[in-house]
Amino acid sequence: MVMACAVALTPTHGHAEEGFDTEHIFGFMIGSDVGNPGEREFQSQTTGRFGKGGGTYRALEKEIEIEIVPLPNFRIELGAVASLHDITGVPDIDDRRQLNFQGASLDLRYRLLDRERAPFGLTIAAEFHGDRIDETSGAKGRMYGTDFTLAFDRELIPNFAIGALNLIYQPEWARFEVAGQSEKSSTIGAAFAGLVRVRPDVLLGGELRYFRQYEGIGLGEFSGQALFVGPTAYVQLSERSRLTLSWSMQAWGRPAGSGGNLDLVNFERHQARMVFGINF
């Protein structure tokens, strides 16, 4: 991954007139572009997570988002999430089948470097979310967290291939309603993506993401790790609408204190995402 990221961020000669807009082309990652001042977008994002260490595990999240760009290089996104859980016979998770309003989110992004004027694009993003339903177990409570991301990207071949790197830190705090139990956790990660233009309105590629989870928001005791890999497709449906499809499988992982080649305690076996957006 280090070698791939070094290649992705190495300057190349020349630049295409048309280029890429990386704001929405990735599935589970983000690009450095944030849109132009005055832009407004509606976005529908559906995320599925499937498979644990045993039994049946299905979790779906539907998020509706409104994005605005009030100032150059600065984007604001407001979102509301509903979740569906179908869990039966999974170790350490109660059985449940439920559909609930999960919570709300605020996503702020500021672009520090523009690819047009710098060797690579760089954006810092912070997504704040407050939930009443735990996204993994579906248990009720109060959950708060922040996703901090540094997003780098660069055109590897002008107007044909783009590479991106995300560095991630996710502290979370939860207090569950039934037992009154509090939990704190944190996750760090690095993700790399590459996409190529196969048609003027179609991009194909893949994403590779590595995560390490810890107890406590300050990266305390190690809990587990996982590596996800899978394909991504982006389609520009019209001048104002778009669709992104992504799927990832856990290719390798290991929970703390145990062997095996997958961590199905802290992570899922499969993850999928579909994002539809339209300018208005």
Side-chain angles (χ1 to χ4, degrees), residues 21-273:
D21 182 350
T22 64
E23 184 179 5
H24 300 293
I25 63 176
F26 303 108
F28 293 95
M29 297 172 54
I30 65 173
S32 70
D33 291 332
V34 295
N36 299 316
E39 282 188 356
R40 297 177 299 173
E41 293 186 82
F42 167 84
Q43 180 168 286
S44 170
Q45 177 174 287
T46 305
T47 302
R49 294 174 288 113
F50 310 98
K52 283 287 190 180
T56 299
Y57 180 84
R58 304 185 186 96
L60 292 175
E61 294 179 3
K62 182 71 170 182
E63 183 168 10
I64 302 299
E65 302 161 335
I66 298 294
E67 303 172 3
I68 60 173
V69 186
L71 300 169
N73 301 312
F74 180 59
R75 197 195 83 172
I76 301 174
E77 177 184 289
L78 297 172
V81 185
S83 61
L84 172 67
H85 290 84
D86 180 8
I87 305 171
T88 305
V90 177
D92 300 322
I93 300 180
D94 292 339
D95 293 355
R96 66 181 78 244
R97 290 184 178 180
Q98 63 182 32
L99 172 64
N100 279 298
F101 171 73
Q102 179 171 308
S105 65
L106 170 65
D107 186 354
L108 306 175
R109 299 186 191 179
Y110 183 74
R111 183 170 61 183
L112 300 171
L113 296 176
D114 187 345
R115 289 190 313 279
E116 300 288 336
R117 303 174 181 84
F120 52 85
L122 170 60
T123 288
I124 182 170
E127 180 181 346
F128 308 91
H129 57 88
D131 300 318
R132 55 185 294 274
I133 300 294
D134 180 59
E135 67 174 8
T136 300
S137 67
K140 293 183 178 181
R142 290 180 295 162
M143 295 81 187
Y144 305 98
T146 306
D147 298 350
F148 296 103
T149 304
L150 278 177
F152 304 81
D153 56 29
R154 176 166 181 80
E155 287 192 40
L156 308 179
I157 302 175
N159 202 29
F160 178 73
I162 186 85
L165 167 68
N166 284 185
L167 301 178
I168 303 158
Y169 170 55
Q170 300 169 330
E172 295 186 342
W173 176 88
R175 183 175 181 84
F176 295 98
E177 185 177 281
V178 175
Q181 178 184 2
S182 295
E183 293 183 1
K184 296 179 181 179
S185 65
S186 53
T187 303
I188 58 172
F192 176 77
L195 291 173
V196 298
R197 192 187 302 276
V198 296
R199 293 182 54 185
D201 54 355
V202 178
L203 305 177
L204 296 178
E207 298 180 2
L208 183 150
R209 301 174 294 138
Y210 172 71
F211 298 101
R212 293 176 64 90
Q213 190 171 99
Y214 297 84
E215 295 182 6
I217 61 174
L219 304 179
E221 184 178 350
F222 174 71
S223 298
Q225 58 187 327
L227 175 70
F228 289 88
V229 61
T232 296
Y234 172 83
V235 181
Q236 189 71 40
L237 300 174
S238 68
E239 184 178 350
R240 302 176 63 182
S241 61
R242 53 182 167 78
L243 180 68
T244 307
L245 301 171
S246 189
W247 169 77
S248 285
M249 65 171 291
Q250 188 180 153
W252 178 86
R254 181 168 297 175
S258 65
N261 57 2
L262 294 178
D263 181 357
L264 299 177
V265 176
N266 300 291
F267 305 94
E268 298 79 33
R269 187 183 299 271
H270 300 282
Q271 298 177 350
R273 177 167 289 177

